[in-house]
Amino acid sequence: MSRLGNIGARLYRGEVGYDFVGKRMIWYGISVLITITAIVGLGVRGLNMGIEFSGGAVFTTPKTAVSEAKAREQAEEASGHPAIVQKLGNGTLRIQISDVDTEKSDQIRQELAKDFGMQAKDINAELVGPSWGEQIANKAWLGLGIFMALVVVYLAIAFEWRMAVAALIALIHDLTITVGVYALVGFEVTPGTVIGLLTILGYSLYDTVVVFDGLKEASKDITKQTRWTYSEIANRSLNSTLVRSINTTVVALLPVAGLLFIGGGFLGAGMLNDISLSLFVGLAAGAYSSIFIATPLVADLKEREPQMKALAKRVRAKRAAASAKGESEGGTDGARGADPEDARDEATAAGALGRQSAGPATAEPGRARGRGRTPGQHR
């Protein structure tokens, strides 16, 4: 087995832990870089708004042998505007042209009928006003605002306000990246895109709430022990739910990837792209933010509390004393093993972590001491 495969297998079995919280500045930097790229793409290229938002005309032809490329060329020549052409399953063509009024629509239909060799009356033309798209956008923004407010209130009541703030920042992070990707790739933004954006918010919160629930349980009575700081407890909680997060994300991404790459790409069903891209990018960004953004942010906010600062100071002092004692007695492990306070602290924290997850990370109590420990920590 390759080294990467061996690491993955050990991670799945819960035999190793990674210092996600301790290396949070790296993850913050990566997120800032991705977010800036998304914002720049949005500002430079802008969004390719669909006809539902910009207004225009939609032409549907009878069954024809004209290719999409040829139809797009003729439609753009007839209208003077960019055209979006889709080949439907029954052999008909759907042509969208923005910024077209009634008079211009009739003229374009006549030109298309002539180019395609069919009667103008056989081409169905529908006009879409921009006011309808504006209503959809306004309702979407209203729904997003209500959703955000409810999430913050719920998390503040169920957990605490710091977790609510971290979850809100993670949601904004995911939305910004998804919208930026749409600007960079130039996919059309339709009502389906809006539905996809609203849908990914729930997926983004799922892993975050799971980790927060475990962290809340593990950090009970945290100030009564001097073995771990809040950040280290947060990292242990994150590692205990890591495999679950990976599994649920992969399972959710597979069918969405099928829609995007096979349905929209290989099979040419372009109408699937608008919703599948938002779901794919949003799910991936949500998994990233729940692991690398939300929990480290909570740890940052909690470590600012006077109680947590005092706890961190006591933990460092105890480790320094234990290290000095171990060196003087010639056996650090023996000194630690003989400390009844260490055993009590470890039993308390291990018991809390054991209650939050029944996964592989807590399956064998005898190995729990090594699994949850952040690399570089002293016991």
Side-chain angles (χ1 to χ4, degrees), residues 27 62 122 145 167 174 183 267 278 292 300 302 325 331 336 341 345:
W27 320 132
D122 295 332
D174 300 341
L267 298 179
S278 62
F292 298 99
D300 269 337
K302 287 290 291 186
K325 182 179 179 181
R336 285 202 301 262
E341 186 179 355
D345 291 345

Side-chain angles (χ1 to χ4, degrees), residues 279-291:
L279 289 175
F280 186 84
V281 176
L283 287 173
Y288 175 86
S289 65
S290 65
I291 296 173

Side-chain angles (χ1 to χ4, degrees), residues 75-331:
E76 291 179 352
E77 182 179 349
S79 63
H81 297 283
I84 299 176
V85 181
Q86 297 175 343
K87 192 83 170 183
L88 304 182
N90 55 2
T92 63
L93 291 174
R94 185 174 186 267
I95 304 171
Q96 300 181 42
I97 305 175
S98 301
D99 300 323
V100 173
D101 55 20
T102 303
E103 182 178 353
K104 186 68 175 179
S105 172
D106 293 336
Q107 180 183 345
I108 295 173
R109 181 163 63 171
Q110 295 291 337
E111 292 290 335
L112 291 178
K114 181 180 178 181
D115 293 335
F116 295 165
M118 58 184 64
Q119 297 292 324
K121 63 180 181 179
D122 295 332
I123 300 178
N124 183 46
E126 297 179 1
L127 288 177
V128 179
S131 59
W132 185 75
E134 185 178 353
Q135 292 177 4
I136 293 179
N138 291 336
K139 291 180 179 179
W141 281 113
L142 178 61
L144 179 61
I146 294 175
F147 176 84
M148 293 287 194
L150 291 176
V151 164
V152 171
V153 171
Y154 170 76
L155 292 180
I157 295 174
F159 300 103
E160 59 173 295
W161 70 265
R162 295 167 188 83
M163 292 184 177
V165 170
L168 180 62
I169 293 174
L171 285 178
I172 296 174
H173 166 273
D174 300 341
L175 286 175
T176 303
I177 290 178
T178 306
V179 173
V181 169
Y182 263 85
L184 290 173
V185 302
F187 275 22
E188 186 182 16
V189 177
T190 68
T193 305
V194 177
I195 295 172
L197 289 174
L198 296 177
T199 302
I200 64 174
L201 299 179
Y203 283 103
S204 178
L205 281 173
Y206 175 77
D207 283 342
T208 302
V209 171
V210 168
V211 177
F212 284 177
D213 184 63
L215 178 55
K216 178 184 177 181
E217 183 72 16
S219 60
K220 284 182 178 179
D221 301 325
I222 186 175
T223 57
K224 295 181 180 180
Q225 55 85 45
T226 55
R227 188 170 184 80
W228 291 293
T229 65
Y230 187 91
S231 292
E232 291 164 353
I233 291 290
N235 195 69
R236 291 166 64 91
S237 298
L238 185 56
N239 275 278
S240 69
T241 58
L242 182 61
V243 174
R244 181 191 305 177
S245 298
I246 293 175
N247 286 342
T248 54
T249 300
V250 170
V251 170
L253 279 176
L254 285 176
V256 177
L259 287 175
L260 178 61
F261 299 109
I262 298 178
F266 182 74
L267 298 179
M271 67 285 294
L272 296 176
N273 289 336
D274 52 1
I275 188 171
S276 59
L277 179 64
S278 62
L279 289 175
F280 186 84
V281 176
L283 287 173
Y288 175 86
S289 65
S290 65
I291 296 173
F292 298 99
I293 303 298
T295 305
L297 275 176
V298 172
D300 269 337
L301 294 173
K302 287 290 291 186
E303 291 287 5
R304 299 174 185 270
E305 292 183 356
Q307 289 182 335
M308 296 304 144
K309 288 182 179 179
L311 172 63
K313 186 176 180 179
R314 294 198 304 270
V315 170
R316 289 192 296 266
K318 181 178 179 180
R319 290 175 181 172
S323 178
K325 182 179 179 181
E327 291 176 1
S328 64
E329 297 183 1

